[in-house]
Amino acid sequence: MTSTSESELGARPTARLGPRHLGRFNRRGLWTLYCKEVKRFLSVFTQTVIAPAVTMLLFLAIFTLALGRGGVEIGGVPYSEFLAPGLVMMAIIQHSFANTSSSLLISKVQGNIVDVLMPPLSAGELTLGFLGGGVTRGAIVGIVATLGMWIFVPVRIHDPLAVLWFGLNAALLLSLLGMIGGIWADKFDHIAGVTNFVIVPFSFLSGTFYSVERLPESWRFVAHLNPFFYQIDGFRYGFIGHHDGNLTLGAILLGGINLCLFLIVYRMFASGYKLKA
């Protein structure tokens, strides 16, 4: 009988090891990046989820007390019911953007962006991983805000498909914008400027607190040029059945914008724009 040496026994497992075949699509790497992005904001759940929901409830209380007294109705529903979906969408918009922009910018400032770029992840997988984290945070914040408002305002869903489509596309659009901002920005002041002078004004002036049909004709035209208007208008329709704009146009427009933004982010990752020295 031929004995097997210890060196041969030790060599057998090593012989089986080799480069891991990842295939055309690195699913494990993508899943790992997505989980990292989700755990990043869940580790400070109070700051990233609970605080935004409380802020939206304060908006609801303030505007309902100021404008909703005396039986004021918009779109055939009490003002508080009209306002609630707009506030939920505003929370989705702001925090989808905040998640992806802060993740990329913090990694760049701290110098650990290389930990994301070194693994065998393609530009498309990097885009999808960060995008998934932003959409997840936006969805969770939106759900928590809706449940919080449900305590004070009757929440009825008129069209679930509209709620899903416009809510998802809003989270996608702002997550992609956040990625573009995070890659472009060199310091936190840059992102703060985009948030304060672009994201917040566009979300506030898109019909969150009022119906754009009550605006003068010239301002109504300007409101319809704002893509955030179609997000909020379609999302609100999903809850109360009232809309001020063309829902089909809004749905197609948001899908087209998201496709263009996805291609821009993909190209930024592929070229290493402001990511690789």
Short mmCIF file of all heavy atoms in Angstrom, two decimals, residues 9 35 81 145 188 208 216 223 249 258:
data_model
loop_
_atom_site.label_atom_id
_atom_site.label_comp_id
_atom_site.label_asym_id
_atom_site.label_seq_id
_atom_site.Cartn_x
_atom_site.Cartn_y
_atom_site.Cartn_z
N LEU A 9 -0.81 15.69 1.20
CA LEU A 9 -2.14 15.98 1.75
C LEU A 9 -2.36 17.49 1.83
O LEU A 9 -3.45 17.99 1.56
CB LEU A 9 -2.27 15.38 3.16
CG LEU A 9 -2.44 13.85 3.20
CD1 LEU A 9 -2.37 13.38 4.64
CD2 LEU A 9 -3.75 13.44 2.57
N CYS A 35 -25.40 45.75 0.50
CA CYS A 35 -25.55 45.54 1.94
C CYS A 35 -24.73 46.56 2.73
O CYS A 35 -25.16 47.06 3.77
CB CYS A 35 -25.13 44.12 2.32
SG CYS A 35 -26.26 42.84 1.72
N GLU A 81 -55.12 65.89 3.95
CA GLU A 81 -54.98 64.70 3.12
C GLU A 81 -54.27 65.02 1.80
O GLU A 81 -53.57 64.18 1.25
CB GLU A 81 -56.36 64.09 2.84
CG GLU A 81 -57.02 63.51 4.08
CD GLU A 81 -58.33 62.81 3.75
OE1 GLU A 81 -58.42 62.17 2.67
OE2 GLU A 81 -59.28 62.94 4.54
N ALA A 145 -42.56 57.61 7.22
CA ALA A 145 -43.29 58.88 7.24
C ALA A 145 -44.78 58.67 6.99
O ALA A 145 -45.62 59.31 7.64
CB ALA A 145 -42.70 59.83 6.20
N PHE A 188 -17.58 69.11 1.33
CA PHE A 188 -18.97 69.07 1.77
C PHE A 188 -19.73 70.35 1.40
O PHE A 188 -20.95 70.32 1.24
CB PHE A 188 -19.04 68.84 3.28
CG PHE A 188 -18.58 67.47 3.69
CD1 PHE A 188 -17.34 67.29 4.27
CD2 PHE A 188 -19.38 66.36 3.47
CE1 PHE A 188 -16.91 66.02 4.64
CE2 PHE A 188 -18.96 65.10 3.83
CZ PHE A 188 -17.72 64.92 4.42
N THR A 208 -45.69 70.72 -3.52
CA THR A 208 -45.74 69.96 -2.27
C THR A 208 -46.82 70.48 -1.34
O THR A 208 -47.59 69.71 -0.76
CB THR A 208 -44.37 70.01 -1.55
OG1 THR A 208 -43.37 69.48 -2.42
CG2 THR A 208 -44.42 69.22 -0.26
N PRO A 216 -50.76 81.60 -11.06
CA PRO A 216 -50.97 82.34 -12.31
C PRO A 216 -50.45 81.53 -13.49
O PRO A 216 -49.58 80.65 -13.34
CB PRO A 216 -50.14 83.62 -12.11
CG PRO A 216 -50.00 83.76 -10.63
CD PRO A 216 -49.98 82.37 -10.07
N ALA A 223 -43.86 75.74 -13.37
CA ALA A 223 -43.98 74.56 -12.51
C ALA A 223 -43.97 73.27 -13.32
O ALA A 223 -43.40 72.26 -12.90
CB ALA A 223 -45.26 74.65 -11.68
N LEU A 249 -47.44 61.70 -19.45
CA LEU A 249 -46.24 62.48 -19.76
C LEU A 249 -45.25 62.42 -18.61
O LEU A 249 -44.05 62.24 -18.83
CB LEU A 249 -46.63 63.93 -20.05
CG LEU A 249 -45.46 64.91 -20.25
CD1 LEU A 249 -44.63 64.52 -21.47
CD2 LEU A 249 -45.98 66.35 -20.37
N ASN A 258 -34.31 59.23 -15.85
CA ASN A 258 -33.55 58.24 -15.08
C ASN A 258 -32.60 57.46 -15.98
O ASN A 258 -31.47 57.13 -15.57
CB ASN A 258 -34.50 57.29 -14.37
CG ASN A 258 -35.11 57.91 -13.13
OD1 ASN A 258 -34.51 58.80 -12.51
ND2 ASN A 258 -36.28 57.46 -12.74
#
